[in-house]
Amino acid sequence: MSGKGAMPAARRLESRHWFGKSCAGALLGFGLAVALSGLFAWLSPGGVEGNGGKTQFNMWLISPIWAGVLCFVFLFRDSLRAWLWLGAANLAAFGLLGAIRLVMG
């Protein structure tokens, strides 16, 4: 079907970029999980100096976030997009964490 009003074919996800996506998810996903856990520690009740249970919860919060990033990283079209989006997410999360630490610390 070609013509003036024809819709272009949707680009399908491919498995050829799996190694780059896996590396992006493992490296940048871990950084993102650490930053999000830190944000939770600073913004939740009790602050970063919470009791022992809160410290354990923050520590164990990293694993499911990291696993989630590792699962969803394969939805990117290619490895370059995974690196760029996760890199931007890391910059935003660590920037916000640094700003909150300055304000609340």
Side-chain angles (χ1 to χ4, degrees):
M1 182 159 53
S2 64
K4 196 169 190 173
M7 298 279 292
R11 187 170 173 197
R12 296 183 53 178
L13 294 174
E14 299 174 359
S15 63
R16 66 183 179 149
H17 297 282
W18 69 269
F19 185 74
K21 291 177 187 179
S22 298
C23 290
L27 298 174
L28 296 177
F30 179 72
L32 186 60
V34 169
L36 292 177
S37 176
L39 286 170
F40 181 79
W42 278 94
L43 295 175
S44 61
V48 76
E49 299 293 329
N51 60 11
K54 182 180 176 187
T55 304
Q56 284 292 313
F57 182 78
N58 289 329
M59 180 185 71
W60 286 102
L61 185 62
I62 294 172
S63 297
I65 295 172
W66 192 14
V69 172
L70 279 170
C71 290
F72 288 109
V73 75
F74 296 103
L75 295 177
F76 288 106
R77 286 189 181 148
D78 54 33
S79 57
L80 178 63
R81 289 178 194 244
W83 280 97
L84 291 176
W85 278 102
L86 289 176
N90 269 283
L91 286 174
F94 277 108
L96 186 59
L97 180 61
I100 287 173
R101 288 184 63 186
L102 283 175
V103 171
M104 298 181 78

